[in-house]
Amino acid sequence: MMVLMFQREVAERIIAKPGDKPFGRLAVLAGWRTEARIMFDVAPSAFVPPPKVTSSVVRLIPRASPLPCTRTTLERVTSAAFGQRRKMLRQSLRSLGADPAPLLAAAAIDPAARAEDVPVAGFVALANALDAASGLPQDGVGTGEL
């Protein structure tokens, strides 16, 4: 378990859920490997000199069984998907170099969906579909640790 302090805005990005405005790559990657929760806020007056932002303490508990996925592929998929946040996935995933239609079909994701509406499990399925399409082995919880 990790207990860390971040600016409130970063903490909100870490714990965001699909459909929330701050949901992005950070939320997907953190949500894939951990269960994150804001424990409490720390007022600027707690520091000397006081910053201009509120801080939040976030607890990250590692998942006992994260969904199997290659970390580097998941990072590529989320980078492509959130790189053009307001575009539909069928367009934003073109930068992966593979036709996004079969990847989206294999992951059971609507091609008209936007990245901010896809759950963590959907991104993991996309990463696994990309690995399968590339002929790469899917190696459990991934190469390297988050």
Side-chain angles (χ1 to χ4, degrees):
M1 175 177 59
M2 294 184 291
V3 179
L4 305 168
M5 185 164 46
F6 300 96
Q7 288 184 1
R8 177 70 185 187
E9 294 79 15
V10 175
E12 289 173 348
R13 289 177 56 205
I14 292 170
I15 67 149
K17 302 292 181 218
D20 294 347
K21 187 174 180 182
F23 185 73
R25 287 186 75 206
L26 184 57
V28 172
L29 295 172
W32 170 53
R33 297 300 300 260
T34 68
E35 292 180 35
R37 184 173 147 213
I38 293 178
M39 301 305 292
F40 57 88
D41 290 337
V42 180
S45 61
F47 302 95
V48 176
K52 296 181 180 180
V53 296
T54 298
S55 299
S56 295
V57 173
V58 178
R59 182 181 68 190
L60 300 152
I61 300 174
R63 292 189 184 278
S65 301
L67 296 170
C69 178
T70 305
R71 179 187 50 84
T72 54
T73 306
L74 183 60
E75 288 174 346
R76 283 184 59 214
V77 167
T78 56
S79 178
F82 288 102
Q84 298 178 322
R85 184 175 192 94
R86 295 300 307 153
K87 289 196 173 188
M88 292 180 207
L89 287 174
R90 67 176 169 229
Q91 186 63 32
S92 62
L93 295 178
R94 289 185 189 277
S95 64
L96 293 173
D99 182 9
L103 299 177
L104 291 162
I109 297 174
D110 179 4
R114 289 180 165 69
E116 66 234 20
D117 297 321
V118 177
V120 173
F123 282 105
V124 169
L126 272 172
N128 288 335
L130 180 60
D131 279 347
S134 303
L136 297 176
Q138 296 169 14
D139 63 353
V141 293
T143 57
E145 296 298 319
L146 275 180

